[in-house]
Amino acid sequence: MKKYAILGFGVVGGGLAEVMADQAQKLAAAAGEPLELGYILVRHDYPDSPFRAKFVRDFSVIENDPEVAVVAEVIGGSDAAYDYSRRVLLAGKSLVSSNKQLVAEHGAELAALAREHRVSYLFEGSVGGGIPLLRPLCRCLAANRIDQVCGIVNGTTNYILTAMDTQGQDFDTALKTAQQLGYAEADPTADVEGIDACRKTAILADLSFGWNVDPDAIPTTGITKVAPADLELARALGYTVKLLGRAARTPDGCCAFVEPHLVPLGHILASVNGVMNACAIQGSAVGEVVFCGPGAGAHPTASAVAADIADAVRHTGNPMVPDLGAPGGALSPADELVSPWFIRADAAPDAVLAAFPQARPVYGTSGECGFITGPMTRRELAAPFAAAGGRAVWRVLA
C-alpha cells in the first residue's frame, strides 16, 4: 500500500479526494497496489467534509512522513505551490500537478529535480483538464515528428465566444453569464486576456519541440476586442471565431502564439462549443489527430490527477518525467507566419477592392463589411488594411 497526500482543498482538491475514494479499486489496479489518502493540506476549516480527519495545516507533516510516496499539488499559482513542489521532490516523493502556471514557469526545473531524486513528476491535468492529451502527445505519438499543436485550451473564453456567436450576445453580457454559471472567475483577466491559454500553449510547445518556451515570450491576444460584428460577418463567410493557442515547428525552432482565429465551419474545432476544450496535433506519420473533452472542473481535472497518482506509484523505482526541453533560442516571430486574414472594414466597396482586388466582401447589419485575404504576413497586411478602412483583423486557420 502506498500513501498519497493532496495539497489544497479547493475545486480540484475536493474533486480529487472524491474521485480517489470513489474509484479506489480501479486506481489500485492501475497503480499495482492499494492507495491510501494520508493528508490534505488546507488553509481553512471544512467542518462538514467527510475528509476532515485527514486535514493538516503544516506542510512539514507531509514533507517528513516517509510513508507518503506521492503528493498532488492542486493549489494553483506559483508562490507557495513552487516552494512546496520543490520540497516534495527534495524529500524524495513523486509530484503530480494540475497547476499550468507552475508547470509553464518552473516545470523544466522541477523535472530536473525529479530526475535527480529518482521520482516521478507528472502534470496531465495542467492542459485540457480531463482530456488525455499530454501523455498521448509524449508517448502514443512518439513515432511522430510533431509539426503543430493547435487548440481551444480555455473553456471560459470558448463559452463566451459561443454565446456571442450563437445567441448574439455582446462580450460583457456573455462574460456576466459565464460568471453567474461559475465558468468565469470574479476577476476573469487570466482567461479573457489569454494568459491561461498562453501557459498551456507553452507546455504544449515544450513537449512537442524539445526546448523550453518562456510563456512571457509568447505573443498573446485575448478575446476582449472581438465584437459581435466580427462573429456575424465570420458566420456569413463560413467561419466561426475561436481563441486558439498554436505552436508550430519552424526551421529555427518553433513559433508559438495565442490569439482569436476564424475557423472554417467544416473544421472539427469549429464544432467545439461551450466550455469544451480540444487540441489538434499534426504528426509526421499519423497526420492530424484531435483530442476533445471537458477542459476544466472538479471531476474532469481530478480524473487526470488521479491517473497521474496511480502512474507515479506503478513506476516507483522507474520514474516518469516528461521532457519539457532545455532552454533554447528566441521564438520565431508569429507576425512572420503566413496566413489568410479576416478583415472587418467600414470603407466604401471601391476602397476595399482597390486595397484587396481579390476580396469578396459580405455586409452585416452594422453596415460594415468583412472579407478574407490571401495568405500573407502581418507586416504585408498593414498598408492595405489601413487603405481599406480596416476596423479589426483576425488570423484565419487555414
Side-chain angles (χ1 to χ4, degrees):
M1 177 176 288
K2 288 289 195 305
K3 188 181 290 188
Y4 66 93
I6 300 172
L7 307 184
F9 199 62
V11 172
V12 177
L16 177 59
E18 292 172 0
V19 167
M20 294 295 295
D22 291 345
Q23 301 299 322
Q25 289 187 336
K26 190 169 185 180
L27 287 164
E33 60 184 293
L35 303 171
E36 178 188 352
L37 174 59
Y39 308 98
I40 301 175
L41 184 69
V42 298
R43 291 186 300 174
H44 308 290
D45 290 326
Y46 302 89
D48 298 327
S49 171
F51 303 102
R52 60 188 177 276
K54 302 294 185 179
F55 292 167
V56 296
R57 291 178 180 265
D58 183 357
F59 172 72
S60 65
V61 173
I62 297 170
E63 181 181 25
N64 295 323
D65 187 339
E67 293 186 357
V68 174
V70 185
V71 176
E73 182 277 302
V74 291
I75 298 172
S78 62
D79 295 325
Y82 172 60
D83 177 53
Y84 292 153
S85 295
R86 279 183 49 82
R87 289 165 63 182
V88 164
L89 296 170
L90 288 168
K93 306 177 190 299
S94 290
L95 174 69
V96 306
S97 178
S98 62
N99 186 340
K100 60 264 184 182
Q101 182 178 358
L102 186 65
V103 177
E105 294 178 358
H106 301 288
E109 174 193 347
L110 296 173
L113 201 57
R115 292 188 191 96
E116 179 184 345
H117 290 271
R118 299 282 302 159
V119 291
S120 291
Y121 175 45
L122 298 169
F123 40 86
E124 181 66 53
S126 66
V127 182
I131 306 170
L133 176 58
L134 303 187
R135 194 162 297 125
L137 175 60
C138 296
R139 299 176 68 86
C140 303
L141 298 177
N144 289 258
R145 180 193 67 249
I146 303 302
D147 292 319
Q148 179 174 244
V149 291
C150 174
I152 300 166
V153 292
N154 181 274
T156 300
T157 51
N158 202 43
Y159 174 86
I160 291 170
L161 289 172
T162 299
M164 292 175 68
D165 188 23
T166 63
Q167 301 173 34
Q169 296 181 5
D170 61 22
F171 172 81
D172 290 337
T173 300
L175 171 59
K176 183 177 181 180
T177 303
Q179 290 171 321
Q180 291 170 342
L181 294 172
Y183 298 150
E185 301 288 344
D187 179 0
T189 303
D191 292 321
V192 300
E193 295 296 350
I195 298 167
D196 176 80
C198 171
R199 291 164 178 158
K200 295 170 181 175
T201 301
I203 296 168
L204 290 168
D206 293 345
L207 296 174
S208 297
F209 306 121
W211 57 280
N212 195 243
V213 174
D214 180 357
D216 289 338
I218 296 178
T220 300
T221 301
I223 66 168
T224 57
K225 299 292 196 321
V226 176
D230 295 323
L231 289 143
E232 178 194 8
L233 293 167
R235 177 125 336 232
L237 289 163
Y239 295 83
T240 188
V241 180
K242 299 292 184 183
L243 182 71
L244 299 182
R246 293 179 66 184
R249 186 178 297 276
T250 67
D252 300 324
C254 81
C255 172
F257 55 98
V258 174
E259 60 188 56
H261 285 65
L262 264 68
V263 179
L265 290 176
H267 194 286
I268 192 169
L269 292 181
S271 64
V272 179
N273 291 320
V275 293
M276 298 289 278
N277 281 199
C279 186
I281 300 173
Q282 188 73 37
S284 58
V286 75
E288 185 176 66
V289 293
V290 180
F291 300 84
C292 179
H299 290 157
T301 304
S303 154
V305 179
D308 278 350
I309 292 173
D311 273 343
V313 169
R314 178 170 284 280
H315 286 83
T316 300
N318 183 27
M320 302 175 69
V321 185
D323 183 7
L324 284 162
L331 288 169
S332 301
D335 284 354
E336 295 303 312
L337 182 68
V338 173
S339 302
W341 300 85
F342 163 78
I343 292 177
R344 172 166 54 89
D346 61 1
D350 55 348
V352 169
L353 293 173
F356 295 94
Q358 306 303 315
R360 297 293 182 268
V362 298
Y363 290 82
T365 55
S366 66
E368 296 172 304
C369 72
F371 57 93
I372 307 296
T373 75
M376 62 183 74
T377 67
R378 190 181 288 272
R379 184 180 296 112
E380 294 168 334
L381 180 69
F385 173 78
R391 299 290 301 277
V393 56
W394 305 115
R395 196 183 298 269
V396 176
L397 182 65

